[in-house]
Amino acid sequence: MSNCFNTKKYFMSQNNRFPGTYSAVLHAVLGAYSKSVTLLIAGLLFLVAHPSSLFGQAATKQDKVFRAGASVSNITPALGEGIVGNFGNPPPAKHIHDQLHVRSLALDDGETRLVFAVADNVGIKREVFDEAKRLVNRAVNMPTAHMLFSATHTHSATSAGGVGAKRMGYTANQPLDEYQQFVARRIADGVVVAINNLQPARIGWGAGQVPQHLFNRRWKMKPGTPIPNPFGGQDKVMMNPGVGNPNLLEPAGPTDPEVSFISVQSKEGTPIAVLGNYSLHYVGGVPDNDISADYFAVFADRIQELLKADRHDPPFVGMMSNGTSGDVNNINVRGPKENYPAYAKMRLVANDVAQEVLRVYRTVQHRDWVRLQAAQTELPLQVRKPSPEMLTYARQVLAKQANVTPFHRNERAYAERTLQIQKEWPDHINVILQAFRIGELGVAAIPFETFTQTGLEIKSRSSSKPTFTIELANGSYGYLPTPEQHQLGGYETWLGTNRVETEASRKITDKLLELFSKLK
Ligand SMILES: [Zn+2]
């Protein structure tokens, strides 16, 4: 879908330029002739210079200028707010190790404009992204379907979930809280500044392999290993079974070793931005009370250094989006046990990923112009509701005396979530799915913590080659296991951690492939 408004403006500017240049000269030379003759000759000259206009065609590739711009805006919260991402009560932020940012990239092919924004947060609600899109649209008048906004999933930021998010309440009807409004405003500012920074550019993309830092965190265990869940039953897989666990059998799913990237440079070859995509949940190794953007920001910093892109004007922007990493983390449970100082492991991972991007970057042919396209749809998904047996069990758990040994250590939290979903959540939610096409490259956007299997399937079946997926994009609705992984149970499939129908990943994949097939 191209942006018709921009197309019209493009032709208007071409026509407006014409009388100002050619006709002034004609008037001087042909002063004796009437104005109508001048206009006739001027019109003929215009047709010679712009033969395509004879046939009413869109401007040709040669007429269009590809442009790119990028920016960074700060979204660091105040100290004292709770740091979310881990179990238990969120510890208050007492220290900022590194600032949180929104990193934005704008691309423009002379007719269609696409923007990306990647925010340092564990997951941003659709309502916050929608508000940011509304602000961008108001400022620069571009379709919201051409805006792909996502969260990195750092586990050491404060919540942008609004009141009630922690207990899995339904927050879509609530007004945005102060930090949510701030984040929306800063995303919009960042995108507008990236658009302000648009300059003639060339674009390239590529993918490398960094398998060594990725581990599927869901494990099948030796027969007879108890794997209790908070609903009073047993699962078939265990999340994060612990390094050196003697009952490990095999991982329950794959990893995707690919690091994909988009690069934009000035016409002279100066790097403007690199947008990476790697399917790793996060790294961590952050003290409990620290705010940090995790390895995503270290990558941004390191790729800038490797490309010798420090202190450019406008500044170079490195970006790392999260791929499909709902079940993939950085812990090798087969061991040995690691003991890194705080922040050391994320530097190691970010450096390896950046070095691989650099290696491939050197082989990428940047192109002067590619076509940009976008397709978006809203997919209705059924909200998963508890069965009568689950509701009964949840009430029993909450009625338990504090001194009774729990069946599962998080059973109270899940009992509360079970009742919350039953009481507050609607029967359906509509989720935004997007497909961007940049030349032959496809970028899919899914608003869940998506399992790697789903990302691999989209990569192999997409009509755009290559394709990568950005997760936690345009919203944040919890984990998205495949139907097969739902059969195995485990943390990511638990009601409350997962909130939509068990077939959701299949429906989402099919819908995204359909969107890509429309972009040719
Ligand atoms: Zn997480």
Side-chain angles (χ1 to χ4, degrees):
M1 291 191 294
S2 67
N3 180 346
C4 295
F5 179 80
N6 280 353
T7 312
K8 196 171 157 197
K9 230 167 67 176
Y10 177 79
F11 280 109
M12 279 173 66
S13 68
Q14 290 291 307
N15 287 326
N16 287 344
R17 205 176 302 147
F18 161 63
T21 51
Y22 291 88
S23 92
V25 176
L26 282 166
H27 270 291
V29 176
L30 308 169
Y33 287 76
S34 73
K35 194 175 178 185
S36 61
V37 173
T38 309
L39 284 173
L40 179 67
I41 295 170
L44 288 170
L45 278 174
F46 175 77
L47 289 175
V48 169
H50 301 82
S52 66
S53 63
L54 261 179
F55 310 102
Q57 293 170 343
T60 60
K61 176 178 159 179
Q62 290 76 20
D63 293 333
K64 294 184 195 167
V65 176
F66 191 87
R67 295 185 301 155
S71 83
V72 177
S73 53
N74 194 308
I75 55 165
T76 310
L79 291 180
E81 299 292 322
I83 292 174
V84 291
N86 300 307
F87 276 109
N89 269 336
K94 293 180 181 170
H95 179 67
I96 297 162
H97 173 270
D98 52 277
Q99 304 283 319
L100 306 183
H101 293 107
V102 177
R103 298 162 196 276
S104 305
L105 172 64
L107 304 174
D108 191 317
D109 70 0
E111 184 173 306
T112 301
R113 181 176 291 172
L114 304 178
V115 293
F116 296 86
V118 182
D120 293 324
N121 193 274
V122 76
I124 294 179
K125 296 275 163 127
R126 172 177 177 169
E127 296 72 42
V128 177
F129 284 137
D130 280 354
E131 172 62 4
K133 290 174 188 180
R134 190 186 67 82
L135 293 169
V136 173
N137 180 264
R138 199 175 67 181
V140 298
N141 193 12
M142 64 174 283
T144 54
H146 292 199
M147 307 177 197
L148 195 170
F149 298 168
S150 66
T152 57
H153 203 62
T154 172
H155 275 221
S156 37
T158 64
S159 171
V163 181
K166 191 181 147 252
R167 53 182 183 85
M168 295 291 152
Y170 185 65
T171 57
N173 305 325
Q174 294 172 2
L176 301 185
D177 70 17
E178 198 184 342
Y179 188 59
Q180 288 180 309
Q181 285 180 39
F182 175 70
V183 169
R185 182 83 243 176
R186 296 304 297 162
I187 293 171
D189 287 355
V191 169
V192 169
V193 173
I195 291 168
N196 291 346
N197 282 338
L198 283 170
Q199 60 171 299
R202 32 191 229 194
I203 184 163
W205 52 86
Q209 304 284 316
V210 189
Q212 68 270 30
H213 296 301
L214 304 172
F215 303 93
N216 196 291
R217 69 185 196 181
R218 288 164 53 82
W219 279 77
K220 292 179 180 168
M221 307 299 281
K222 286 180 185 163
T225 308
I227 315 177
N229 63 41
F231 308 100
Q234 296 285 331
D235 286 333
K236 297 193 179 81
V237 299
M238 190 185 283
M239 177 192 75
N240 289 340
V243 177
N245 189 316
N247 294 323
L248 296 174
L249 197 61
E250 59 178 359
T255 62
D256 175 3
E258 201 162 68
V259 53
S260 309
F261 66 91
I262 299 171
S263 157
V264 282
Q265 303 177 336
S266 74
K267 292 287 184 200
E268 296 73 40
T270 307
I272 296 170
V274 168
L275 166 61
N277 181 267
Y278 186 52
S279 294
L280 172 59
H281 207 65
Y282 73 111
V283 176
V286 176
D288 284 351
N289 300 96
D290 278 20
I291 282 175
S292 169
D294 206 282
Y295 97 97
F296 309 96
V298 189
F299 169 84
D301 188 47
R302 187 72 179 116
I303 193 69
Q304 174 172 321
E305 187 187 6
L306 291 171
L307 292 173
K308 299 186 170 38
D310 295 335
R311 289 174 294 278
H312 282 174
D313 182 23
F316 170 84
V317 179
M319 305 165 72
M320 176 54 79
S321 60
N322 207 320
T324 49
S325 68
D327 52 347
V328 171
N329 69 11
N330 188 231
I331 302 166
N332 181 9
V333 292
R334 281 188 168 130
K337 239 188 170 83
E338 295 174 334
N339 197 9
Y340 288 92
Y343 300 105
K345 189 71 191 291
M346 68 172 71
R347 279 204 297 278
L348 184 96
V349 173
N351 181 58
D352 287 353
V353 175
Q355 291 283 2
E356 175 66 356
V357 168
L358 178 72
R359 185 187 68 79
V360 180
Y361 182 98
R362 288 183 171 139
T363 68
V364 168
Q365 288 284 351
H366 286 72
R367 298 189 227 168
D368 285 329
W369 191 89
V370 298
R371 187 176 173 200
L372 301 176
Q373 292 171 278
Q376 174 176 307
T377 193
E378 292 210 19
L379 180 70
L381 291 173
Q382 233 176 305
V383 170
R384 214 177 125 198
K385 290 294 176 93
S387 64
E389 295 74 30
M390 289 173 84
L391 288 170
T392 305
Y393 187 79
R395 291 193 186 101
Q396 284 170 0
V397 165
L398 293 173
K400 266 189 201 173
Q401 300 294 328
N403 57 0
V404 177
T405 311
F407 178 74
H408 186 278
R409 66 193 165 104
N410 291 315
E411 64 182 16
R412 284 193 73 87
Y414 278 89
E416 281 166 11
R417 290 174 182 192
T418 300
L419 299 182
Q420 210 76 42
I421 285 182
Q422 174 69 11
K423 198 172 125 206
E424 285 185 25
W425 279 68
D427 292 338
H428 289 86
I429 52 169
N430 286 334
V431 303
I432 294 177
L433 301 178
Q434 273 176 337
F436 280 8
R437 198 171 151 113
I438 298 167
E440 302 86 52
L441 171 73
V443 182
I446 298 179
F448 289 89
E449 293 181 67
T450 308
F451 275 33
T452 283
Q453 180 65 50
T454 300
L456 289 169
E457 194 179 329
I458 293 169
K459 280 182 180 185
S460 75
R461 290 177 57 199
S462 170
S463 54
S464 295
K465 292 273 187 291
T467 288
F468 66 79
T469 299
I470 298 180
E471 70 170 18
L472 287 171
N474 305 306
S476 171
Y477 301 96
Y479 284 93
L480 185 69
T482 61
E484 296 74 24
Q485 293 290 329
H486 268 293
Q487 295 291 319
L488 300 174
Y491 168 76
E492 299 87 349
T493 71
W494 294 345
L495 181 69
T497 315
N498 164 265
R499 289 165 229 167
V500 290
E501 54 183 300
T502 54
E503 289 291 315
S505 76
R506 200 161 280 161
K507 290 186 179 180
I508 286 170
T509 301
D510 288 347
K511 186 54 79 175
L512 281 167
L513 295 173
E514 191 187 312
L515 291 181
F516 277 119
S517 70
K518 288 179 187 163
L519 303 177
K520 285 274 167 68

